[in-house]
Amino acid sequence: MKKENLIVFDIDDTLTKSENQHQSAYMDAMKSFGIVDINQDWKSYKNMTDSYILKKNYEANLNKSFSFSFIPKFEEKMTESMLTFSRTKEINGAKKIVDFFMKETDYAICFATGSLLQPALIKLEQASINFVPSLVEASNSLFTREEIVNSAINKAKNYFQVQEFKNIISVGDGIWDLKTAKNLGIHFLGIRNKNLPDFKAEGIKSHIEDWDSFNFSTVKTELQIQ
């Protein structure tokens, strides 16, 4: 089936139950490099990405400029830490829904995460989510969510050989995911109830508790997609 539309999946707490493992490994990695005074008010950051938050805390603690060249060493340490925690599980119904989009609809899929790449791939693998590595964009060389989502969309265009997708739906559990979709002018589906008050304050049009409660016809109606 020719893919004319696109779903952009966030990963943490959208497809995988991985927020605790991610944050613990991220903090462990920072502390191993002497970054110990860490601002954990995540919503206070301009960009909710591993690379940007690392940059701000790196510069505040080590009193020197951050460079993306530091990312591979940091990512290796974070990955080692992640593998010591309990295996990541899927958000209810996530594996089934990814397979549904790929096999039964004209929607292509890609993945856009504020995480670093290797930890993100581990989460998807452990949760048995089907994915193509080249369709996963992370924050290794990008600071903003908008850049990450745009890059993921372009990767999907190249992979599925589509010049322009008719409709693009971004799916995420964070208020930053909704704001990113608004900034890019694409549709948004919210998932999980953790940030539901923030979602409602931003005028969200479509929301589900988890993938077991997903109805594609309802979502398309709410998003006014034909």
Side-chain angles (χ1 to χ4, degrees), residues 4-181:
E4 297 182 333
N5 303 286
L6 178 66
I7 297 280
V8 184
F9 286 108
D10 174 45
I11 296 175
D12 289 296
D13 279 9
T14 295
L15 295 174
T16 63
K17 296 177 181 177
S18 50
E19 184 177 8
N20 290 338
Q21 296 97 317
H22 179 101
Q23 287 191 8
S24 296
Y26 188 57
M27 297 283 286
D28 286 350
M30 278 201 273
K31 290 174 182 175
S32 75
F33 288 102
I35 304 168
V36 293
D37 185 12
I38 302 166
N39 174 14
Q40 296 184 57
D41 181 8
W42 309 123
K43 290 184 179 181
S44 71
Y45 289 93
K46 179 181 176 183
N47 297 300
M48 188 63 176
T49 61
D50 279 2
S51 57
Y52 184 79
I53 294 170
L54 176 59
K55 165 186 161 64
K56 300 300 285 187
N57 287 284
Y58 178 100
E59 292 177 345
N61 279 258
L62 305 181
N63 199 28
K64 56 183 179 181
S65 296
F66 176 83
S67 168
F68 278 115
S69 63
F70 176 64
I71 291 287
K73 288 183 291 184
F74 183 87
E75 183 180 38
E76 182 179 3
K77 186 65 70 173
M78 183 177 173
T79 301
E80 288 175 1
S81 181
M82 269 217 56
L83 291 171
T84 68
F85 297 117
S86 59
R87 290 176 62 85
T88 300
K89 297 179 180 179
E90 67 168 341
I91 296 294
N92 292 346
K95 183 181 185 302
K96 181 175 65 178
I97 217 68
V98 168
D99 291 344
F100 162 75
F101 279 116
M102 283 305 300
K103 296 174 181 177
E104 300 181 38
T105 75
D106 64 353
Y107 277 73
I109 64 170
C110 63
F111 306 84
T113 177
S115 168
L116 295 179
L117 182 60
Q118 289 305 316
L121 299 182
I122 288 170
K123 297 164 200 170
L124 291 171
E125 289 168 357
Q126 289 182 344
S128 299
I129 305 292
N130 290 328
F131 71 97
V132 176
S134 63
L135 291 174
V136 182
E137 186 57 279
S139 69
N140 292 52
S141 61
L142 302 167
F143 282 137
T144 75
R145 289 266 175 171
E146 286 80 3
E147 290 173 310
I148 292 167
V149 172
N150 260 334
S151 180
I153 292 170
N154 286 330
K155 287 185 173 187
K157 287 178 181 177
N158 291 332
Y159 183 87
F160 293 99
Q161 297 183 312
V162 176
Q163 191 165 4
E164 292 293 337
F165 290 106
K166 290 181 179 178
N167 295 288
I168 300 175
I169 304 173
S170 176
V171 187
D173 70 300
I175 190 62
W176 44 86
D177 297 311
L178 171 55
K179 289 181 177 179
T180 297

